[in-house]
Amino acid sequence: MANSDNCPSPRAGPQSRPKWKPGAYLTAAACATEQNYRLQKLRRHNREAHGWGVMCGLWVVPADDGAHPWGVQICPGYAISPYGDEIELSESAEIDVEDYLWFRPDDPFTIAVVERPAYVVVRYQDQTDDLTSPAKPPCSCTDPEYTTSRIGDGYQAGVVWTPPLDAQVITGPLCLPDALPCPPCPESPWVTLAAINLPARGVPITAAMIDNGIRNSL
């Protein structure tokens, strides 16, 4: 499978795919090459033809959870990642900003108030599906080991303390000597959904503290 953690370069040359012939062996490596070819082709199309960002939904709202005052909820929606992958949330996802305080850079702040905004982000992530036992497992009294038989589309939501840089926006005529080149891949796979001006510790996050307007919308 193609590694979605790395942005495929659309100008690295043509991708190759297997040339299937009658009587040839159908190997796992050949099938993986075929999958990689089609995945990279789709990613390049999404990123180059449509751009990346939020297509619909994915609004960040307070979770209204008394046990987690800094909890927020990401509403269902759809986005294209900076690397061209599709990100779909069919159900709401809840995250607690306090779980990510360990990753916040050291800044001068008082014990009661955290001044640095928190940015709610989402990225594409493969997820395993349909575990199966190996063929003809050896006779044993131990539990059988299971292997992954399918890979599904998934996502990872989280909080970062420095917003990922947006991709360079290219405008103007194409194929002219002074025309700008196609935009490079962003360095980060995250799609920023909202910024949160955090209250004092223990004070619930409200809708007025969440800025959904900073997102890159398509």
Side-chain angles (χ1 to χ4, degrees), residues 55-195:
M55 296 286 290
C56 59
L58 299 180
W59 299 107
V60 179
V61 298
D64 294 329
D65 184 352
H68 303 280
W70 279 14
V72 294
Q73 193 175 51
I74 303 176
C75 301
Y78 176 88
I80 296 178
S81 81
Y83 295 170
D85 293 290
E86 296 181 329
I87 304 173
E88 183 178 17
L89 273 70
S90 58
E91 298 179 351
S92 297
E94 187 172 331
I95 58 177
D96 192 341
V97 178
E98 288 195 84
D99 292 340
Y100 298 86
L101 289 177
W102 298 101
F103 305 102
R104 185 196 56 221
D106 293 331
D107 286 334
F109 66 96
T110 64
I111 297 178
V113 179
V114 179
E115 297 179 356
R116 179 182 285 266
Y119 297 90
V120 179
V121 293
V122 66
R123 58 169 289 178
Y124 174 85
Q125 186 177 67
D126 286 342
Q127 65 179 15
T128 58
D129 190 15
D130 194 12
L131 298 178
T132 59
S133 60
K136 297 181 180 179
C139 182
S140 173
C141 296
T142 60
D143 293 334
E145 296 182 356
Y146 292 92
T147 60
T148 302
S149 62
R150 300 195 184 280
I151 299 176
D153 293 333
Y155 68 90
Q156 177 187 0
V159 171
V160 298
W161 301 97
T162 301
L165 296 177
D166 291 336
Q168 182 183 5
V169 178
I170 302 300
T171 59
L174 303 177
C175 298
L176 296 178
D178 58 347
L180 296 174
C182 295
C185 274
E187 295 182 359
S188 171
W190 294 105
V191 176
T192 305
L193 302 180

